[in-house]
Amino acid sequence: NAGVTQTPKFRVLKTGQSMTLLCAQDMNHEYMYWYRQDPGMGLRLIHYSVGEGTTAKGEVPDGYNVSRLKKQNFLLGLESAAPSQTSVYFCASSYSIRGYEQYFGPGTRLTVT
Amino acid sequence: ILNVEQSPQSLHVQEGDSTNFTCSFPSSNFYALHWYRWETAKSPEALFVMTLNGDEKKKGRISATLNTKEGYSYLYIKGSQPEDSATYLCASKGLLAKAAGNKLTFGGGTRVLVKP
């Protein structure tokens, strides 16, 4: 049982390049989330999903797109990276009903130069 | 401006001393308050989920209280040890967020450093 995994762990992009971050969970959770963490800002929600095939915007969605084609995977895409997207990205998942706590992945450190 | 606020941002504690810190959150339409422990280079891990006014939760030397009427929660660490060094995050969930993906709003965290 790996929990929540994220790929890659680190990435450096040049301004304008694109990339996709992959989040996978093996706990059969319905809900999945993407956050970014910046110094002094806490965790801010980018996008979330309440089930396969559904996504919704969070607090800071601009510049990001997501997809959830399979229940266990949640992809975060940056179409044209900007230096303002330099951050640590965390994926999380949770059950829809019981427990409520979110389980976090190890994070992806992204630098955009 | 975060509507979930934690204070202080950081604190240093001598090994063996006890400490506490605060999380403030909107009291209207409150549903739940979460505490997470986040060690450097690791993922945040859930400590407590609290929903009822007056709730008290305990895990080892760490405990938390909840006041939903005034919108605050305290986290206490009794007899701090170096392994308690971490950032402690709180997050609130309102009734509307519960109905829309169980979304959490996080505070900025309190970074605790326990000195041997």
Side-chain angles (χ1 to χ4, degrees), chain A residues 22 29 33 37 101:
Chain A
L22 170 63
H29 286 166
Y33 312 86
Q37 192 270 324
E101 68 251 43

Side-chain angles (χ1 to χ4, degrees), chain A residues 31 33 35 37 40-45 48 50 57-59 90 94-97 99-102 104-107, chain B residues 2 9 31 34 36 38 41-46 49 51 89 93 98-109:
Chain A
Y31 292 172
Y33 312 86
Y35 294 93
Q37 192 270 324
M41 299 294 289
L43 290 167
R44 292 184 292 167
L45 184 64
Y48 66 99
V50 299
K57 293 180 180 180
E59 184 185 355
F90 285 94
S94 74
Y95 289 111
S96 62
I97 300 175
Y100 304 117
E101 68 251 43
Q102 294 181 10
F104 285 83
Chain B
L2 295 170
Q9 280 191 327
Y31 183 78
H34 294 221
Y36 288 82
W38 189 4
K42 294 188 178 179
S43 313
E45 290 185 349
V49 179
T51 57
L89 296 170
K93 183 191 304 179
K98 176 185 178 296
N102 279 336
K103 291 183 292 181
L104 294 173
T105 300
F106 282 85

Side-chain angles (χ1 to χ4, degrees), chain A residues 52-75:
Chain A
E52 185 177 317
T54 71
T55 63
K57 293 180 180 180
E59 184 185 355
V60 287
D62 293 342
Y64 305 95
N65 57 74
V66 287
S67 63
R68 187 141 178 229
L69 300 179
K70 294 183 180 181
K71 185 177 184 180
Q72 63 268 34
N73 295 338
F74 195 28
L75 304 179

Side-chain angles (χ1 to χ4, degrees), chain B residues 11-21 37 61-62 75-85 88 112-116:
Chain B
L11 60 93
H12 292 184
V13 186
Q14 202 64 40
E15 182 176 356
D17 287 351
S18 297
T19 189
N20 65 83
F21 37 93
R37 171 192 162 86
R61 292 177 291 95
I62 301 177
L75 193 97
Y76 300 88
I77 305 176
K78 184 177 178 182
S80 303
Q81 299 297 308
E83 58 265 30
D84 295 328
S85 296
Y88 293 83
V112 175
L113 179 62
V114 181
K115 298 178 178 179

